[in-house]
Each structure stands twice: as structure tokens, then as C-alpha cells.
Amino acid sequence: MRNSPFAEGYATLRAQGSAIVMPAHPDDHGQVCAIIEEFEGTASADLARAWLSERPEHLSVIRTGDSVAGFAYHVLCPSDSVLEQRDPVVRAVLDHVARHGPARPGEGIDIVRYNGGARTHQRDPYALLAGPVSSVIEWLTRPLAWSFIVVIDVEFWHAYFDYLAFARLADVDVGGVRHVIYGIDWRRFPVDAWFDLMHERGRSGATGPPPAALLRPPPLDRSQFGVAVKTALQSLHRPAQLAANPLVGSALATGPTGPSTDQLRATIETAVDHLGNQPKGDQLRAVLYRTYVRAAPTQEAAAEVLDLPLSTYRRYLAKALDQLADILWAVEIGDLRLPAKPRGH
């Protein structure tokens, strides 16, 4: 990150010695809320107390001695909390998501709701450490649709978000203090691609939104996804037809060199193999294999090869298609990584 806006702040921290971002203790809550009240006002502090009372596990802190030097607090949605509507910042985030790319089943929304330091709040070097470290942990360990970061010091933070390829999405007033929301849709620009971009920008110092050529199409919802899986199976060995399938714009088709029909086919075939590892999955795998991967000429012929009555074969096929779609959906939202398909398989 030597050419990034973070370089100066991290050099300052390094000169001061080590600093550790760690889960907060309940005893830290009062100090954190006092910092928020000092710099953001009573209304924000009251909301912070409410969130910490309901979801204390999402607070990370940096301590110097017995004092909190920096902190970051994440709100993870859906949270089933009335605070999602009571907190105007979180409400604005969820309104934006609903309009521009609703989260799909299994996907979450991560919001860095509070981030600051004891001395200079959002300009504090400890804030520059607590926010990014806690964020990277969340981004790498949860299947997320969106991530958002909320700041009050836009003059200071704008350059950072320009470097991070986060877009300014909304402004919200809380107790007379303007809060600005920046965000990114990970379905359109996945975390792995973002890390590659950060590696490049750390060397080049480039800024701005994600390159348009690297953006995926808007994500399919769960119903559209299931239909696309069935269509892809039917054209698994017809490259021209498979290339027109909307799954080519999904995580299933994305390999080291970008999206391709070869990668989509490999992912589907690997998922068929994976189905065989599920309880009672051998028969379902065999049905899919003989219907699509190494297909018999007709369903009747496939049933005969598998030594199954046609009615039983079709019942197994319907069940296998549903379970395969569930496996591929878990891959799509980032909840499952399939093993790489062996060469020559």
C-alpha cells in the first residue's frame, strides 16, 4: 500500500509500535459511546448504545493500556432488529439495496456503522487500522451481497474511498450531523477481483470506480438462477447455446482469466460430482451424469442404462436438479467453494 492514501497513517502507527485489532469487551462499550458522542452527537451515541446492547459481538477495538484508542462497529443485515428502521443510516442503506440490488437468500449486507479513534476520531490513525482490518475479516468470511462504510468526515475520507473503488451512495442526517454512505456490490465486483485491484493500485496509486470491463451483469435472483441452471444443463455440450446463458455472468463461470463457458461447464460438472458426496447422493449424481454430463440419447435410454423404472428415474431427476441448484447457489453467493476439477477429467 506504499502508493495508497493509507501509507502515511500506517507509517505513523508503525513508528508508535504494535497495535492489535481485537474483539471488544463489554467494558469497552462506555468508552466507545463516549467517543461517538463527543464527535458525532447524542443521537448517534444513543443509536450506538442500542446496537451494542443488541449486537455487541460486532465491535472491534484497539487498546493502548486500558483505554480504547480506536474502534469499528459493523451492523450485519438482515439482523431481525427494529433498529434497522429506527437507525436512519441503516434504513437508508437498506432502501438503497432494495432499489439497486436486493440481497438474495443466503447473502448478507455489511455496514461499518461506526469507525473512529479517541484523539481525532475519523482522522485518527487507529481508525484507519480498526476499520479496514475488521472489514477485511468480514468480507472474507461471510457471503455478502453489499458492503457499506459510513463516515462524517468526507473531506478526509473521500480520497480513501476513491482508492478503494467504493461509490458515494447516500447522505443522511443524524441529530444534525451529516453521515455519508459509501458502498460496493460484491455480486458485480467480487472480493477476489477487488483484492487484485488493490494489489495493482498499491503499486500504481490509481483510483476511481472498478473498471467497467471487470463488472459482472446484475445478479440473478434465486428463481432466475434455478431456471438458468436447468437451461445450462440442457446445453452443456453446445458451446454457442451455453455462451448465451445468463450464468456466464455469474460466479460459476468466473475463472482466473475471467468468465468463460469452459469454466461454467467445469463448475457444473464438479457440482454434479459433489452431489455424489451428499447423503444418498450417489443415485442422484448418476441420474444427472447420464442425463446431461455423459448423456444417453433419451430419458428412456438413460433410465434403462441406470436400470430404473422411468417414473423412478424422473422422480430422481427432479430431486437431483433441485439439489444441484442448491449447491450451485451456495457457490454463487460465496458460501461454498468447490474443489478444482482435475485436468483431463
mmCIF file of all heavy atoms in Angstrom, residues 286-322:
data_model
loop_
_atom_site.group_PDB
_atom_site.id
_atom_site.type_symbol
_atom_site.label_atom_id
_atom_site.label_comp_id
_atom_site.label_asym_id
_atom_site.label_seq_id
_atom_site.Cartn_x
_atom_site.Cartn_y
_atom_site.Cartn_z
ATOM 1 N N ALA A 286 -25.686 -40.057 -10.447
ATOM 2 C CA ALA A 286 -25.716 -40.934 -11.613
ATOM 3 C C ALA A 286 -26.795 -40.502 -12.603
ATOM 4 O O ALA A 286 -26.590 -40.535 -13.829
ATOM 5 C CB ALA A 286 -25.943 -42.381 -11.167
ATOM 6 N N VAL A 287 -27.939 -40.087 -12.073
ATOM 7 C CA VAL A 287 -29.036 -39.640 -12.943
ATOM 8 C C VAL A 287 -28.621 -38.393 -13.723
ATOM 9 O O VAL A 287 -28.837 -38.296 -14.943
ATOM 10 C CB VAL A 287 -30.310 -39.378 -12.103
ATOM 11 C CG1 VAL A 287 -31.333 -38.609 -12.920
ATOM 12 C CG2 VAL A 287 -30.901 -40.698 -11.623
ATOM 13 N N LEU A 288 -28.010 -37.436 -13.052
ATOM 14 C CA LEU A 288 -27.563 -36.226 -13.745
ATOM 15 C C LEU A 288 -26.453 -36.539 -14.744
ATOM 16 O O LEU A 288 -26.410 -35.974 -15.843
ATOM 17 C CB LEU A 288 -27.069 -35.189 -12.735
ATOM 18 C CG LEU A 288 -28.126 -34.523 -11.864
ATOM 19 C CD1 LEU A 288 -27.467 -33.577 -10.866
ATOM 20 C CD2 LEU A 288 -29.148 -33.763 -12.708
ATOM 21 N N TYR A 289 -25.571 -37.437 -14.356
ATOM 22 C CA TYR A 289 -24.451 -37.794 -15.226
ATOM 23 C C TYR A 289 -24.955 -38.382 -16.536
ATOM 24 O O TYR A 289 -24.507 -37.982 -17.624
ATOM 25 C CB TYR A 289 -23.537 -38.786 -14.504
ATOM 26 C CG TYR A 289 -22.199 -38.975 -15.163
ATOM 27 C CD1 TYR A 289 -21.157 -38.085 -14.934
ATOM 28 C CD2 TYR A 289 -21.981 -40.055 -16.018
ATOM 29 C CE1 TYR A 289 -19.926 -38.253 -15.547
ATOM 30 C CE2 TYR A 289 -20.752 -40.227 -16.634
ATOM 31 C CZ TYR A 289 -19.725 -39.326 -16.406
ATOM 32 O OH TYR A 289 -18.511 -39.491 -17.013
ATOM 33 N N ARG A 290 -25.909 -39.309 -16.439
ATOM 34 C CA ARG A 290 -26.405 -39.978 -17.645
ATOM 35 C C ARG A 290 -27.410 -39.140 -18.416
ATOM 36 O O ARG A 290 -27.703 -39.427 -19.583
ATOM 37 C CB ARG A 290 -27.040 -41.320 -17.260
ATOM 38 C CG ARG A 290 -26.020 -42.408 -16.987
ATOM 39 C CD ARG A 290 -25.146 -42.610 -18.212
ATOM 40 N NE ARG A 290 -24.142 -43.657 -18.023
ATOM 41 C CZ ARG A 290 -23.209 -43.946 -18.898
ATOM 42 N NH1 ARG A 290 -23.126 -43.248 -20.030
ATOM 43 N NH2 ARG A 290 -22.332 -44.900 -18.667
ATOM 44 N N THR A 291 -27.915 -38.069 -17.784
ATOM 45 C CA THR A 291 -28.880 -37.218 -18.480
ATOM 46 C C THR A 291 -28.200 -36.034 -19.159
ATOM 47 O O THR A 291 -28.617 -35.612 -20.237
ATOM 48 C CB THR A 291 -29.943 -36.707 -17.489
ATOM 49 O OG1 THR A 291 -30.528 -37.817 -16.798
ATOM 50 C CG2 THR A 291 -31.049 -35.935 -18.215
ATOM 51 N N TYR A 292 -27.102 -35.529 -18.550
ATOM 52 C CA TYR A 292 -26.508 -34.300 -19.058
ATOM 53 C C TYR A 292 -24.997 -34.368 -19.303
ATOM 54 O O TYR A 292 -24.519 -33.847 -20.312
ATOM 55 C CB TYR A 292 -26.785 -33.141 -18.083
ATOM 56 C CG TYR A 292 -28.243 -32.885 -17.846
ATOM 57 C CD1 TYR A 292 -28.827 -33.147 -16.606
ATOM 58 C CD2 TYR A 292 -29.052 -32.367 -18.857
ATOM 59 C CE1 TYR A 292 -30.171 -32.893 -16.379
ATOM 60 C CE2 TYR A 292 -30.405 -32.115 -18.652
ATOM 61 C CZ TYR A 292 -30.958 -32.388 -17.404
ATOM 62 O OH TYR A 292 -32.285 -32.154 -17.196
ATOM 63 N N VAL A 293 -24.244 -34.961 -18.389
ATOM 64 C CA VAL A 293 -22.781 -34.907 -18.494
ATOM 65 C C VAL A 293 -22.285 -35.871 -19.564
ATOM 66 O O VAL A 293 -21.556 -35.480 -20.485
ATOM 67 C CB VAL A 293 -22.124 -35.201 -17.122
ATOM 68 C CG1 VAL A 293 -20.589 -35.126 -17.248
ATOM 69 C CG2 VAL A 293 -22.611 -34.213 -16.067
ATOM 70 N N ARG A 294 -22.622 -37.131 -19.441
ATOM 71 C CA ARG A 294 -22.369 -38.133 -20.487
ATOM 72 C C ARG A 294 -23.725 -38.710 -20.866
ATOM 73 O O ARG A 294 -24.082 -39.815 -20.498
ATOM 74 C CB ARG A 294 -21.414 -39.221 -19.985
ATOM 75 C CG ARG A 294 -20.021 -38.736 -19.656
ATOM 76 C CD ARG A 294 -19.265 -38.300 -20.925
ATOM 77 N NE ARG A 294 -17.908 -37.850 -20.621
ATOM 78 C CZ ARG A 294 -17.580 -36.599 -20.362
ATOM 79 N NH1 ARG A 294 -18.522 -35.662 -20.371
ATOM 80 N NH2 ARG A 294 -16.330 -36.260 -20.098
ATOM 81 N N ALA A 295 -24.457 -37.900 -21.612
ATOM 82 C CA ALA A 295 -25.892 -38.122 -21.763
ATOM 83 C C ALA A 295 -26.237 -39.301 -22.661
ATOM 84 O O ALA A 295 -25.624 -39.494 -23.724
ATOM 85 C CB ALA A 295 -26.551 -36.857 -22.308
ATOM 86 N N ALA A 296 -27.225 -40.065 -22.230
ATOM 87 C CA ALA A 296 -27.857 -41.050 -23.096
ATOM 88 C C ALA A 296 -28.726 -40.303 -24.115
ATOM 89 O O ALA A 296 -29.085 -39.136 -23.891
ATOM 90 C CB ALA A 296 -28.694 -42.007 -22.264
ATOM 91 N N PRO A 297 -29.080 -40.944 -25.245
ATOM 92 C CA PRO A 297 -29.833 -40.232 -26.297
ATOM 93 C C PRO A 297 -31.176 -39.694 -25.830
ATOM 94 O O PRO A 297 -31.608 -38.636 -26.299
ATOM 95 C CB PRO A 297 -30.010 -41.311 -27.382
ATOM 96 C CG PRO A 297 -28.935 -42.309 -27.120
ATOM 97 C CD PRO A 297 -28.701 -42.313 -25.659
ATOM 98 N N THR A 298 -31.863 -40.414 -24.934
ATOM 99 C CA THR A 298 -33.175 -40.000 -24.450
ATOM 100 C C THR A 298 -33.272 -40.304 -22.958
ATOM 101 O O THR A 298 -32.445 -41.039 -22.393
ATOM 102 C CB THR A 298 -34.306 -40.761 -25.164
ATOM 103 O OG1 THR A 298 -34.196 -42.157 -24.828
ATOM 104 C CG2 THR A 298 -34.235 -40.571 -26.673
ATOM 105 N N GLN A 299 -34.287 -39.752 -22.311
ATOM 106 C CA GLN A 299 -34.513 -40.061 -20.899
ATOM 107 C C GLN A 299 -34.846 -41.540 -20.722
ATOM 108 O O GLN A 299 -34.427 -42.162 -19.740
ATOM 109 C CB GLN A 299 -35.630 -39.181 -20.325
ATOM 110 C CG GLN A 299 -35.227 -37.734 -20.160
ATOM 111 C CD GLN A 299 -36.212 -36.942 -19.315
ATOM 112 O OE1 GLN A 299 -37.260 -37.457 -18.895
ATOM 113 N NE2 GLN A 299 -35.885 -35.687 -19.048
ATOM 114 N N GLU A 300 -35.575 -42.091 -21.670
ATOM 115 C CA GLU A 300 -35.897 -43.518 -21.588
ATOM 116 C C GLU A 300 -34.619 -44.355 -21.626
ATOM 117 O O GLU A 300 -34.468 -45.321 -20.863
ATOM 118 C CB GLU A 300 -36.835 -43.922 -22.728
ATOM 119 C CG GLU A 300 -38.260 -43.378 -22.598
ATOM 120 C CD GLU A 300 -38.398 -41.916 -23.002
ATOM 121 O OE1 GLU A 300 -37.385 -41.315 -23.479
ATOM 122 O OE2 GLU A 300 -39.494 -41.361 -22.839
ATOM 123 N N ALA A 301 -33.708 -43.957 -22.508
ATOM 124 C CA ALA A 301 -32.444 -44.682 -22.601
ATOM 125 C C ALA A 301 -31.621 -44.516 -21.330
ATOM 126 O O ALA A 301 -30.978 -45.464 -20.854
ATOM 127 C CB ALA A 301 -31.651 -44.187 -23.810
ATOM 128 N N ALA A 302 -31.642 -43.318 -20.746
ATOM 129 C CA ALA A 302 -30.913 -43.086 -19.500
ATOM 130 C C ALA A 302 -31.478 -43.951 -18.381
ATOM 131 O O ALA A 302 -30.727 -44.551 -17.594
ATOM 132 C CB ALA A 302 -30.986 -41.608 -19.117
ATOM 133 N N ALA A 303 -32.797 -44.037 -18.305
ATOM 134 C CA ALA A 303 -33.423 -44.866 -17.277
ATOM 135 C C ALA A 303 -33.038 -46.327 -17.459
ATOM 136 O O ALA A 303 -32.769 -47.049 -16.484
ATOM 137 C CB ALA A 303 -34.943 -44.696 -17.322
ATOM 138 N N GLU A 304 -32.969 -46.759 -18.714
ATOM 139 C CA GLU A 304 -32.599 -48.160 -18.987
ATOM 140 C C GLU A 304 -31.154 -48.431 -18.586
ATOM 141 O O GLU A 304 -30.852 -49.464 -17.959
ATOM 142 C CB GLU A 304 -32.812 -48.462 -20.473
ATOM 143 C CG GLU A 304 -32.552 -49.917 -20.834
ATOM 144 C CD GLU A 304 -32.869 -50.213 -22.285
ATOM 145 O OE1 GLU A 304 -33.488 -49.353 -22.955
ATOM 146 O OE2 GLU A 304 -32.495 -51.298 -22.762
ATOM 147 N N VAL A 305 -30.244 -47.496 -18.919
ATOM 148 C CA VAL A 305 -28.834 -47.674 -18.541
ATOM 149 C C VAL A 305 -28.688 -47.747 -17.022
ATOM 150 O O VAL A 305 -27.894 -48.528 -16.485
ATOM 151 C CB VAL A 305 -27.989 -46.511 -19.104
ATOM 152 C CG1 VAL A 305 -26.582 -46.517 -18.495
ATOM 153 C CG2 VAL A 305 -27.907 -46.598 -20.618
ATOM 154 N N LEU A 306 -29.486 -46.951 -16.314
ATOM 155 C CA LEU A 306 -29.410 -46.907 -14.850
ATOM 156 C C LEU A 306 -30.232 -48.007 -14.184
ATOM 157 O O LEU A 306 -30.244 -48.104 -12.948
ATOM 158 C CB LEU A 306 -29.893 -45.531 -14.355
ATOM 159 C CG LEU A 306 -29.008 -44.346 -14.758
ATOM 160 C CD1 LEU A 306 -29.730 -43.028 -14.508
ATOM 161 C CD2 LEU A 306 -27.688 -44.379 -14.008
ATOM 162 N N ASP A 307 -30.931 -48.796 -15.026
ATOM 163 C CA ASP A 307 -31.758 -49.897 -14.508
ATOM 164 C C ASP A 307 -32.820 -49.376 -13.541
ATOM 165 O O ASP A 307 -33.032 -49.918 -12.448
ATOM 166 C CB ASP A 307 -30.890 -50.955 -13.821
ATOM 167 C CG ASP A 307 -31.631 -52.276 -13.618
ATOM 168 O OD1 ASP A 307 -32.601 -52.525 -14.365
ATOM 169 O OD2 ASP A 307 -31.261 -53.031 -12.707
ATOM 170 N N LEU A 308 -33.496 -48.313 -13.985
ATOM 171 C CA LEU A 308 -34.552 -47.711 -13.175
ATOM 172 C C LEU A 308 -35.852 -47.661 -13.971
ATOM 173 O O LEU A 308 -35.824 -47.415 -15.184
ATOM 174 C CB LEU A 308 -34.180 -46.268 -12.783
ATOM 175 C CG LEU A 308 -33.022 -46.065 -11.808
ATOM 176 C CD1 LEU A 308 -32.698 -44.579 -11.716
ATOM 177 C CD2 LEU A 308 -33.373 -46.618 -10.437
ATOM 178 N N PRO A 309 -36.999 -47.872 -13.316
ATOM 179 C CA PRO A 309 -38.267 -47.581 -13.988
ATOM 180 C C PRO A 309 -38.301 -46.110 -14.394
ATOM 181 O O PRO A 309 -37.743 -45.251 -13.683
ATOM 182 C CB PRO A 309 -39.322 -47.881 -12.910
ATOM 183 C CG PRO A 309 -38.636 -48.760 -11.928
ATOM 184 C CD PRO A 309 -37.200 -48.373 -11.946
ATOM 185 N N LEU A 310 -38.955 -45.791 -15.503
ATOM 186 C CA LEU A 310 -38.951 -44.415 -15.998
ATOM 187 C C LEU A 310 -39.525 -43.446 -14.971
ATOM 188 O O LEU A 310 -39.001 -42.333 -14.790
ATOM 189 C CB LEU A 310 -39.738 -44.326 -17.307
ATOM 190 C CG LEU A 310 -39.722 -42.963 -18.013
ATOM 191 C CD1 LEU A 310 -38.290 -42.553 -18.356
ATOM 192 C CD2 LEU A 310 -40.599 -43.011 -19.271
ATOM 193 N N SER A 311 -40.568 -43.868 -14.256
ATOM 194 C CA SER A 311 -41.179 -42.977 -13.262
ATOM 195 C C SER A 311 -40.207 -42.700 -12.114
ATOM 196 O O SER A 311 -40.110 -41.569 -11.621
ATOM 197 C CB SER A 311 -42.474 -43.579 -12.716
ATOM 198 O OG SER A 311 -42.217 -44.838 -12.108
ATOM 199 N N THR A 312 -39.467 -43.723 -11.709
ATOM 200 C CA THR A 312 -38.481 -43.544 -10.633
ATOM 201 C C THR A 312 -37.337 -42.655 -11.108
ATOM 202 O O THR A 312 -36.885 -41.766 -10.384
ATOM 203 C CB THR A 312 -37.923 -44.900 -10.182
ATOM 204 O OG1 THR A 312 -39.006 -45.734 -9.761
ATOM 205 C CG2 THR A 312 -36.929 -44.738 -9.053
ATOM 206 N N TYR A 313 -36.886 -42.890 -12.328
ATOM 207 C CA TYR A 313 -35.827 -42.058 -12.912
ATOM 208 C C TYR A 313 -36.240 -40.586 -12.915
ATOM 209 O O TYR A 313 -35.449 -39.704 -12.517
ATOM 210 C CB TYR A 313 -35.531 -42.538 -14.328
ATOM 211 C CG TYR A 313 -34.844 -41.513 -15.196
ATOM 212 C CD1 TYR A 313 -33.463 -41.352 -15.159
ATOM 213 C CD2 TYR A 313 -35.581 -40.700 -16.054
ATOM 214 C CE1 TYR A 313 -32.837 -40.393 -15.950
ATOM 215 C CE2 TYR A 313 -34.970 -39.746 -16.843
ATOM 216 C CZ TYR A 313 -33.600 -39.590 -16.786
ATOM 217 O OH TYR A 313 -32.987 -38.642 -17.569
ATOM 218 N N ARG A 314 -37.456 -40.302 -13.342
ATOM 219 C CA ARG A 314 -37.893 -38.912 -13.426
ATOM 220 C C ARG A 314 -38.035 -38.288 -12.039
ATOM 221 O O ARG A 314 -37.774 -37.099 -11.851
ATOM 222 C CB ARG A 314 -39.200 -38.829 -14.219
ATOM 223 C CG ARG A 314 -38.967 -39.026 -15.718
ATOM 224 C CD ARG A 314 -40.234 -39.017 -16.522
ATOM 225 N NE ARG A 314 -39.926 -39.003 -17.960
ATOM 226 C CZ ARG A 314 -40.793 -39.304 -18.908
ATOM 227 N NH1 ARG A 314 -42.058 -39.637 -18.593
ATOM 228 N NH2 ARG A 314 -40.429 -39.265 -20.192
ATOM 229 N N ARG A 315 -38.444 -39.078 -11.067
ATOM 230 C CA ARG A 315 -38.537 -38.567 -9.698
ATOM 231 C C ARG A 315 -37.141 -38.229 -9.167
ATOM 232 O O ARG A 315 -36.920 -37.180 -8.565
ATOM 233 C CB ARG A 315 -39.226 -39.592 -8.793
ATOM 234 C CG ARG A 315 -39.490 -39.072 -7.377
ATOM 235 C CD ARG A 315 -40.344 -40.021 -6.572
ATOM 236 N NE ARG A 315 -39.629 -41.239 -6.208
ATOM 237 C CZ ARG A 315 -39.857 -42.429 -6.733
ATOM 238 N NH1 ARG A 315 -40.785 -42.573 -7.679
ATOM 239 N NH2 ARG A 315 -39.162 -43.487 -6.345
ATOM 240 N N TYR A 316 -36.199 -39.124 -9.428
ATOM 241 C CA TYR A 316 -34.813 -38.864 -9.018
ATOM 242 C C TYR A 316 -34.254 -37.638 -9.742
ATOM 243 O O TYR A 316 -33.508 -36.842 -9.163
ATOM 244 C CB TYR A 316 -33.931 -40.077 -9.325
ATOM 245 C CG TYR A 316 -34.070 -41.231 -8.375
ATOM 246 C CD1 TYR A 316 -33.415 -42.431 -8.621
ATOM 247 C CD2 TYR A 316 -34.861 -41.158 -7.233
ATOM 248 C CE1 TYR A 316 -33.513 -43.515 -7.756
ATOM 249 C CE2 TYR A 316 -34.980 -42.232 -6.361
ATOM 250 C CZ TYR A 316 -34.303 -43.407 -6.632
ATOM 251 O OH TYR A 316 -34.414 -44.467 -5.779
ATOM 252 N N LEU A 317 -34.580 -37.501 -11.023
ATOM 253 C CA LEU A 317 -34.064 -36.384 -11.805
ATOM 254 C C LEU A 317 -34.545 -35.051 -11.231
ATOM 255 O O LEU A 317 -33.755 -34.103 -11.096
ATOM 256 C CB LEU A 317 -34.480 -36.516 -13.265
ATOM 257 C CG LEU A 317 -34.030 -35.390 -14.207
ATOM 258 C CD1 LEU A 317 -32.507 -35.265 -14.215
ATOM 259 C CD2 LEU A 317 -34.570 -35.619 -15.619
ATOM 260 N N ALA A 318 -35.839 -34.974 -10.896
ATOM 261 C CA ALA A 318 -36.379 -33.733 -10.333
ATOM 262 C C ALA A 318 -35.675 -33.383 -9.015
ATOM 263 O O ALA A 318 -35.304 -32.224 -8.773
ATOM 264 C CB ALA A 318 -37.881 -33.857 -10.120
ATOM 265 N N LYS A 319 -35.466 -34.411 -8.182
ATOM 266 C CA LYS A 319 -34.790 -34.178 -6.905
ATOM 267 C C LYS A 319 -33.340 -33.773 -7.122
ATOM 268 O O LYS A 319 -32.816 -32.864 -6.461
ATOM 269 C CB LYS A 319 -34.871 -35.439 -6.039
ATOM 270 C CG LYS A 319 -34.294 -35.276 -4.649
ATOM 271 C CD LYS A 319 -34.484 -36.544 -3.825
ATOM 272 C CE LYS A 319 -33.921 -36.384 -2.416
ATOM 273 N NZ LYS A 319 -34.110 -37.620 -1.607
ATOM 274 N N ALA A 320 -32.682 -34.427 -8.066
ATOM 275 C CA ALA A 320 -31.278 -34.119 -8.352
ATOM 276 C C ALA A 320 -31.119 -32.701 -8.870
ATOM 277 O O ALA A 320 -30.174 -31.992 -8.504
ATOM 278 C CB ALA A 320 -30.719 -35.120 -9.358
ATOM 279 N N LEU A 321 -32.027 -32.255 -9.740
ATOM 280 C CA LEU A 321 -31.961 -30.893 -10.265
ATOM 281 C C LEU A 321 -32.095 -29.860 -9.146
ATOM 282 O O LEU A 321 -31.383 -28.855 -9.121
ATOM 283 C CB LEU A 321 -33.040 -30.684 -11.324
ATOM 284 C CG LEU A 321 -32.811 -31.380 -12.662
ATOM 285 C CD1 LEU A 321 -34.062 -31.308 -13.530
ATOM 286 C CD2 LEU A 321 -31.620 -30.767 -13.389
ATOM 287 N N ASP A 322 -33.020 -30.116 -8.208
ATOM 288 C CA ASP A 322 -33.198 -29.182 -7.089
ATOM 289 C C ASP A 322 -31.947 -29.126 -6.220
ATOM 290 O O ASP A 322 -31.494 -28.043 -5.827
ATOM 291 C CB ASP A 322 -34.407 -29.605 -6.237
ATOM 292 C CG ASP A 322 -35.733 -29.337 -6.928
ATOM 293 O OD1 ASP A 322 -35.750 -28.543 -7.884
ATOM 294 O OD2 ASP A 322 -36.753 -29.926 -6.513
#
